[in-house]
Amino acid sequence: MTKTKISYVLLFKGDASAANRQRASEAKRNIGRRQRFEKRNPRSRSRAGFLKAGHLARKRSGWAKSFSTPSITGYQEIFSDPSYAGQIIVLTYPQIGNYGANDVDPQGARPYIEGLIVRDFSPRPSNWRSSLPADEYLANHGIPIGSDMDTRTLVRHLRSGGVKRGALSTVPQSAAALIDKARNAPSMAGLDLATGVSTRERYEWNEAVPRVSANELLAEAEEARHHVVAYDLGIKRNILRRLRQNGARVTVVPTATPAEDVLALKPDGIFVSNGPGDPEPLESQAAELRKLIGKAPIFGICLGHQRLGLGLGRQNLQVQNRPSRRQPSGAQQTQQPGGNHRPESRLLRGSRFPSGERRGDHPH
């Protein structure tokens, strides 16, 4: 595949703050170290461009939304997970694409990411399950890849500053033009992306967890004993496979399906899936969930959990990756939340549970 040089820009808010000046100073030192290393090792020089963090103090405000992950495997699942719709993904593992791509691992019908940032992309996949190179899989859907970038320096900025907007371009443009594109990118705050990735029609899911190889020790799927209705906010296929594997008959419904239509399916349980975007615009969907509380067991993850929180009268708070310290070795890790929001831990003052109990009356 022909490589094209990619232009990129990072924007951060609050350029004049002491914290930003400190980060810019640290980034400048990192650039100095990198330049000295490249001078001693000419073959290591970046072809597509090293993140010029020393200029970030004046050119910062964000990425289109950037999400970072240290995943070593599972990159195709990330590319095709609807939860990442509208996002540029940064992978910190040094080389991505080693085992190619296939037709089984995707979590959705297509890649949902807007772009990919990596340190190095393997041009030659090596795996018996591979049907095409991973970069070709993305190129077939028009997804740009920025490689040869210092992703770990970039992630340090994202970790300390939170979600950013930004731009990738394969067309030569000035820094000012790219900055303008990044600033005009829609903010994730108040953005309903779940409706755009949700199924348009109700359907039954019958596929259980597949064997990766003929000698894999995997039990046969249990006989369907329970009926689970799954609200699709951007559901992953592996969730549906696991439900079917464990004895559930699964019916998937669009995110805006009325409560009455769900109850008409006579579910034994209701699942509210993961998905992209801000949970706050989903108030009308949360109102439908509120009607279902007490009628059948309900469980949700990620955006689905946040939508349940809205249905119970809770606000959702924005979160970001935070460093934690592992004992006793003292090694530092990053806690990666399942999404960019979480329900607040207490009910709003004066709010009531569906039963009419006030906050503080409930045993939990």
Side-chain angles (χ1 to χ4, degrees):
M1 178 174 293
T2 304
K3 290 188 176 181
T4 303
K5 185 169 181 178
I6 285 187
S7 302
Y8 54 92
V9 63
L10 264 181
L11 303 170
F12 288 77
K13 296 176 182 176
D15 297 336
S17 70
N20 277 341
R21 289 196 296 271
Q22 182 178 351
R23 286 197 292 269
S25 177
E26 177 189 351
K28 202 169 184 178
R29 289 195 297 272
N30 289 337
I31 286 177
R33 296 189 194 105
R34 175 71 186 183
Q35 289 173 339
R36 289 192 293 273
F37 175 81
E38 288 186 345
K39 190 172 182 180
R40 294 193 301 270
N41 303 272
R43 294 184 66 182
S44 72
R45 287 176 185 162
S46 302
R47 296 182 301 278
F50 174 69
L51 177 65
K52 294 179 171 57
H55 300 290
L56 291 178
R58 297 225 174 234
K59 296 181 181 176
R60 310 202 308 197
S61 204
W63 215 250
K65 162 183 170 188
S66 286
F67 179 90
S68 59
T69 172
S71 299
I72 298 174
T73 61
Y75 53 76
Q76 190 176 8
E77 288 89 334
I78 293 173
F79 302 161
S80 56
D81 184 347
S83 293
Y84 295 117
Q87 303 178 42
I88 296 172
I89 303 300
V90 183
L91 298 177
T92 56
Y93 187 70
Q95 189 175 69
I96 298 298
N98 314 59
Y99 57 87
N102 58 64
D103 297 328
V104 178
D105 291 344
Q107 297 302 297
R110 60 177 177 84
Y112 283 89
I113 63 174
E114 294 294 324
L116 178 67
I117 303 293
V118 298
R119 181 68 186 92
D120 183 55
F121 212 101
S122 174
R124 294 190 183 93
S126 177
N127 188 279
W128 66 273
R129 297 174 71 233
S130 175
S131 57
L132 77 168
D135 56 347
E136 186 175 327
Y137 168 72
L138 290 176
N140 289 343
H141 296 273
I143 310 297
I145 304 170
S147 63
D148 299 304
M149 298 192 189
D150 188 347
T151 53
R152 296 186 180 185
T153 294
L154 173 55
V155 166
R156 282 196 291 271
H157 288 290
L158 293 173
R159 188 180 67 184
S160 59
V163 172
K164 305 298 174 189
R165 285 181 286 176
L168 288 173
S169 176
T170 57
V171 179
Q173 297 186 58
S174 66
L178 281 176
I179 290 172
D180 187 58
K181 284 181 179 293
R183 283 178 175 158
N184 290 324
S187 171
M188 296 296 286
L191 193 60
D192 175 12
L193 293 173
T195 301
V197 301
S198 176
T199 180
R200 297 292 185 266
E201 302 289 340
R202 187 178 79 198
Y203 64 92
E204 302 287 325
W205 181 270
N206 299 305
E207 180 188 340
V209 177
R211 281 187 171 85
V212 174
S213 63
N215 59 356
E216 181 184 5
L217 297 177
L218 180 66
E220 294 295 326
E222 298 178 20
E223 182 182 352
R225 305 182 308 276
H226 305 290
H227 182 204
V228 173
V229 174
Y231 270 105
D232 178 11
L233 280 67
I235 199 166
K236 293 188 283 191
R237 289 175 176 173
N238 275 353
I239 294 175
L240 298 171
R241 290 171 181 144
R242 285 292 171 185
L243 288 171
R244 179 62 197 89
Q245 183 77 17
N246 287 280
R249 178 169 66 89
V250 184
T251 302
V252 184
V253 298
T255 180
T257 302
E260 294 76 12
D261 292 355
V262 170
L263 293 174
L265 296 171
K266 296 181 169 45
D268 297 305
I270 299 168
F271 173 66
V272 193
S273 82
N274 58 289
D278 190 339
E280 295 302 322
L282 303 178
E283 181 55 45
S284 61
Q285 293 95 324
E288 295 301 320
L289 280 182
R290 196 175 299 123
K291 299 175 186 177
L292 295 169
I293 295 172
K295 304 292 179 60
I298 305 177
F299 61 113
I301 61 168
C302 302
L303 188 66
H305 175 59
Q306 296 151 17
R307 178 168 149 182
L308 279 171
L310 286 174
L312 289 168
R314 300 190 182 193
Q315 286 182 323
N316 285 287
L317 309 176
Q318 193 163 8
V319 297
Q320 64 184 56
N321 293 350
R322 294 188 179 277
S324 62
R325 194 164 293 280
R326 183 174 58 189
Q327 300 295 337
S329 66
Q332 195 174 53
Q333 294 181 314
T334 297
Q335 296 174 334
Q336 181 177 294
N340 296 292
H341 299 81
R342 65 169 177 81
E344 64 173 354
S345 57
R346 294 172 179 245
L347 285 173
L348 297 173
R349 184 177 300 278
S351 60
R352 293 177 180 270
F353 286 93
S355 63
E357 302 169 52
R358 294 182 64 84
R359 187 181 67 177
D361 299 333
H362 200 274
H364 300 298

